[in-house]
């Protein structure tokens, strides 16, 4: 292992002053007769380290013109307390080696700030920017926080398949997985003959790990998944991706109330953990021009305050009585649109709200039917600015009610035989939810486009690299 110290450890006062080695990419290089300064970043911290170079340093004069923004270098020297204002440390270079040039004529990321749109066209260089560096470090910290939260509460982390032969949400928004020649698949009576395909039946990329999660919860009590999920919906919005990561806990013996409490505790705990572990990243992001006023104070408040709960039927009444004209008219039975969710969170509650008991016709087949026969034990956690961040429910554990719902929704009961069997053999009340990891990251970082909180976004018309 190379013997480099990270700028993160230096900024966190974990490195005693003295001789050491560093490596990274040049942010800026300022030359003068008596002394030169290089701002070095190694991507581990929002801070850069100032390197101080004596222009007489052996070999420096030859490579100085090449020490441009984006070039990579390796240095040995001495970490000292800085006499300059605004930085605690600086680094006096004793040896400097140029690892890789970055020609200023062609290197796209120059000193000046770049728009987030421009950076989306430069995905291969984007992680080197201060913003994306901060976002990716928050992402890593949040993933750790998720695993910590569940592990500490006795949940087991399970891995559900990415290739699946069932459509969990029943919405048909699936990417097909096949080894057929798309130009010429084998056909019988004009129809594609999947019995000759790799899996001998139609297969897709999973939209959710829930159904397999339920299988495991029916053996292990409390589980969670955390993996990629795929939706072939043609949604070109700032909060939809075609490939996103979802966290899905599933708990035997939990009813809707338990599920709601867990979702709240989970969101709040991850906020608290990340506010602490990524404080400098979040502060840096909150200081950017696109950030919302009071973003971090708001997160801290949300992390401590119980979420409001609202029945879908009450939400509809509140929307109807709001005196607002919505683009999409409000009446009992509609699926809440983004504008409705935004009114509830941003204007009415002014914070997160968990909406429960939605009409059965707008929710998935697996949700438990309420006694009224019209609504199901669904819950969506909505947050300001973003709308839905968590979707979940108590599951229908009664075999006959479930079978009837599968039929009523026009789904093929034969393909859910195993799901029905879980209700035949030792069925129990159970619940779970899915939290969109990128939506959570938008909430945490204040980024306004979901394409900026994942390294390699996939959306309609775009799957670079
Ligand atoms: O509400 P959804 O579709 O629920 C499910 O998939 C359930 N099977 C979850 C469960 O109960 N285990 O999706 C859950 C969450 C949403 O609340 C949202 O945060 C996120 O996943 N999500 C998306 N995130 C980014 N891009 C998309 N296209 C998303 N679709 C859903
Ligand atoms: Mg949903």
């Amino acid at each position: 292992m190379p013997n480099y110290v990270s700028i993160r450890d230096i900024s966190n006062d974990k490195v005693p002053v003295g001789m050491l080695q560093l490596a990274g990419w040049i942010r800026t290089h300022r030359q003068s007769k008596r002394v030169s300064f290089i701002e070095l970043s190694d991507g581990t911290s929002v801070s850069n380290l100032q390197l101080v170079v004596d222009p007489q340093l052996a070999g420096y004069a030859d490579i100085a013109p090449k020490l441009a923004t984006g070039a990579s270098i390796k240095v040995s020297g001495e970490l000292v307390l800085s006499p300059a204002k605004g930085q605690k440390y600086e680094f006096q270079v004793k040896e400097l080696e140029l690892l890789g040039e970055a020609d200023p004529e062609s290197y796209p990321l120059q000193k000046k700030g770049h728009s987030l749109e421009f950076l989306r066209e430069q995905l291969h260089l984007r992680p080197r920017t201060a913003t994306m560096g901060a976002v990716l470090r928050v992402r890593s910290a949040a993933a750790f926080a998720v695993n910590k939260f569940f592990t500490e509460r006795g949940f087991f982390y399970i891995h559900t398949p990415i290739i699946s032969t069932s459509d969990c949400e029943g919405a048909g928004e699936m990417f097909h997985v096949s080894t057929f020649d798309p130009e010429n698949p084998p056909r019988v009576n004009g129809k594609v003959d999947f019995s000759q395909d790799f899996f001998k039946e139609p297969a897709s990329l999973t939209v959710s790990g829930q159904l397999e999660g339920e299988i495991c919860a029916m053996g292990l009590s409390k589980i969670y998944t955390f993996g990629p999920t795929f939706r072939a919906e043609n949604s070109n919005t700032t909060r939809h991706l075609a490939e996103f990561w979802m966290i899905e806990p599933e708990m035997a013996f939990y009813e809707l109330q338990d599920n709601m409490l867990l979702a709240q505790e989970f969101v709040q705990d991850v906020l608290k953990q990340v506010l602490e572990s990524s404080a400098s990243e979040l502060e840096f992001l909150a200081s950017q021009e696109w950030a919302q006023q009071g973003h971090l104070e708001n997160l801290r408040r949300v992390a401590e305050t119980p979420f409001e709960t609202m029945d879908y039927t009450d939400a509809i009444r509140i929307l109807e009585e709001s005196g607002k004209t919505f683009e999409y008219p409000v009446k009992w039975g509609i699926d809440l649109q983004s504008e409705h969710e935004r009114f509830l969170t941003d204007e009415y509650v002014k914070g997160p709200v968990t909406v429960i008991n939605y009409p059965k016709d707008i929710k998935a087949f697996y949700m438990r039917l309420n006694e009224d026969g019209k609504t199901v034990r669904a819950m969506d956690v909505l947050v300001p600015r973003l709308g839905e961040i968590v979707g979940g429910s108590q599951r229908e554990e009664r075999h006959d009610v479930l079978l009837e719902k599968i039929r009523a929704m026009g789904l093929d009961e034969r393909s859910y035989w195993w799901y029905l069997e879980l209700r035949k053999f030792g069925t129990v009340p159970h619940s779970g939810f899915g939290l969109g990891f990128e939506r959570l990251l938008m909430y945490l970082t204040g980024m306004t486009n979901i394409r900026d909180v994942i390294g390699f976004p996939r959306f309609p018309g775009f799957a670079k690299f």
Side-chain angles (χ1 to χ4, degrees):
M1 260 198 291
N3 203 10
Y4 301 115
V5 167
S6 77
I7 294 179
R8 182 182 193 80
D9 284 347
I10 293 175
S11 323
N12 291 339
D13 299 319
K14 289 199 180 139
V15 181
V17 292
M19 299 301 290
L20 47 91
Q21 285 195 325
L22 295 169
W25 295 268
I26 295 176
R27 277 277 151 81
T28 59
H29 178 202
R30 285 181 290 134
Q31 287 176 267
S32 72
K33 274 217 190 73
R34 287 182 33 238
V35 62
S36 292
F37 296 107
I38 294 173
E39 283 264 347
L40 189 73
S41 160
D42 65 0
T44 60
S45 166
V46 291
S47 313
N48 300 323
L49 187 65
Q50 170 139 289
L51 312 184
V52 183
V53 190
D54 177 349
Q56 305 305 318
L57 184 76
Y60 173 73
D62 298 337
I63 58 167
K66 296 180 179 168
L67 298 175
T69 299
S72 48
I73 57 170
K74 188 165 117 177
V75 288
S76 313
E78 189 175 3
L79 182 71
V80 297
L81 291 171
S82 176
K85 269 213 186 111
Q87 57 185 29
K88 184 156 182 195
Y89 300 102
E90 63 183 37
F91 187 85
Q92 297 187 330
V93 177
K94 308 280 189 240
E95 273 173 52
L96 189 159
E97 187 185 330
L98 176 65
L99 297 175
E101 291 178 48
D103 178 6
E105 295 298 315
S106 50
Y107 183 59
L109 304 183
Q110 288 306 322
K111 273 172 275 184
K112 69 174 178 72
H114 294 285
S115 73
L116 297 170
E117 289 79 15
F118 172 79
L119 293 176
R120 265 174 241 142
E121 297 300 319
Q122 305 288 334
L123 291 185
H124 61 305
L125 301 171
R126 192 169 68 155
R128 292 194 203 177
T129 63
T131 301
M132 199 57 188
V135 166
L136 290 177
R137 289 192 301 275
V138 171
R139 193 177 164 110
S140 171
F144 178 74
V146 166
N147 288 313
K148 185 162 183 283
F149 175 86
F150 286 115
T151 303
E152 284 179 355
R153 282 160 185 78
F155 286 68
F156 299 103
Y157 181 21
I158 58 151
H159 300 103
T160 49
I162 288 170
I163 298 174
S164 169
T165 52
S166 47
D167 179 358
C168 172
E169 293 306 297
E173 291 163 336
M174 320 254 284
F175 290 102
H176 301 301
V177 175
S178 167
T179 51
F180 280 162
D181 171 4
E183 303 282 334
N184 191 23
R187 289 177 192 275
V188 174
N189 302 330
K191 281 199 155 172
V192 175
D193 180 14
F194 284 101
S195 71
Q196 294 185 52
D197 201 356
F198 191 91
F199 296 110
K200 302 203 187 307
E201 61 179 312
S204 309
L205 295 178
T206 188
V207 298
S208 158
Q210 178 194 322
L211 302 188
E212 294 90 350
E214 282 185 58
I215 294 179
C216 296
M218 294 301 100
L220 299 168
S221 286
K222 293 196 293 188
I223 62 89
Y224 71 104
T225 71
F226 184 2
T229 49
F230 307 85
R231 305 265 165 115
E233 54 185 336
N234 199 7
S235 291
N236 240 314
T237 79
T238 54
R239 40 181 226 134
H240 286 91
L241 288 168
E243 176 178 307
F244 63 98
W245 285 64
M246 188 153 48
I247 296 133
E248 296 184 273
E250 191 70 35
M251 299 75 65
F253 320 115
Y254 271 48
E255 302 199 10
L256 186 64
Q257 278 295 329
D258 311 308
N259 203 22
M260 283 162 55
L261 274 178
L262 182 75
Q264 175 191 310
E265 202 187 325
F266 171 49
V267 171
Q268 291 187 321
D269 187 81
V270 172
L271 291 189
K272 278 187 223 160
Q273 286 192 57
V274 178
L275 277 164
E276 195 175 322
S277 62
S278 302
S280 50
E281 276 76 16
L282 293 179
E283 268 158 36
F284 168 79
L285 293 167
S287 70
Q288 301 302 301
E289 55 191 308
W290 60 80
Q292 296 81 40
Q293 277 272 316
H295 174 64
L296 290 182
E297 295 74 52
N298 186 35
L299 286 186
R300 285 188 203 107
R301 194 178 56 245
V302 168
E304 300 293 346
T305 322
F307 297 177
E308 293 235 5
T309 309
M310 191 183 281
D311 226 82
Y312 167 88
T313 303
D314 293 328
I316 291 293
R317 189 179 40 76
I318 288 163
L319 291 165
E320 280 172 340
E321 290 172 1
S322 68
K324 287 226 158 203
T325 342
F326 294 105
E327 227 168 273
Y328 194 93
V330 178
K331 75 169 204 268
W332 199 96
I334 62 155
D335 203 358
L336 296 182
Q337 305 296 306
S338 172
E339 52 176 342
H340 308 137
E341 296 179 343
R342 293 287 301 265
F343 175 81
L344 294 172
T345 52
D346 297 27
E347 295 184 47
Y348 189 81
V349 173
K350 298 196 169 55
V353 55
T354 309
V355 180
I356 56 172
N357 297 327
Y358 284 74
K360 69 171 196 286
D361 293 337
I362 57 168
K363 289 291 185 187
F365 71 95
Y366 51 71
M367 298 194 182
R368 193 180 197 280
L369 191 63
N370 276 319
E371 287 65 39
D372 63 11
K374 288 196 312 196
T375 59
V376 285
R377 288 194 195 164
M379 59 169 216
D380 279 3
V381 178
L382 316 178
V383 297
R385 197 162 68 75
L386 296 176
E388 180 187 341
I389 170 167
V390 168
S393 70
Q394 183 171 336
R395 318 306 189 190
E396 185 55 77
E397 87 284 15
R398 297 163 296 184
H399 179 274
D400 295 352
V401 183
L402 181 64
L403 181 60
E404 205 172 300
K405 279 190 83 186
I406 288 177
R407 286 180 181 157
M409 290 198 168
L411 299 169
D412 181 0
E413 63 192 70
R414 282 168 307 178
S415 53
Y416 293 100
W417 64 270
W418 48 277
Y419 194 68
L420 284 158
E421 276 203 356
L422 295 177
R423 277 77 181 161
K424 257 204 231 157
F425 307 130
T427 192
V428 297
H430 63 289
S431 301
F433 62 82
L435 171 118
F437 190 49
E438 285 74 19
R439 299 245 176 115
L440 177 72
L441 289 170
M442 289 175 77
Y443 194 51
L444 268 167
T445 58
M447 300 301 283
T448 55
N449 193 321
I450 199 164
R451 296 168 190 178
D452 299 328
V453 296
I454 184 165
F456 305 94
R458 272 85 183 87
F459 51 89
F462 192 98
K464 284 214 170 81
F465 316 147

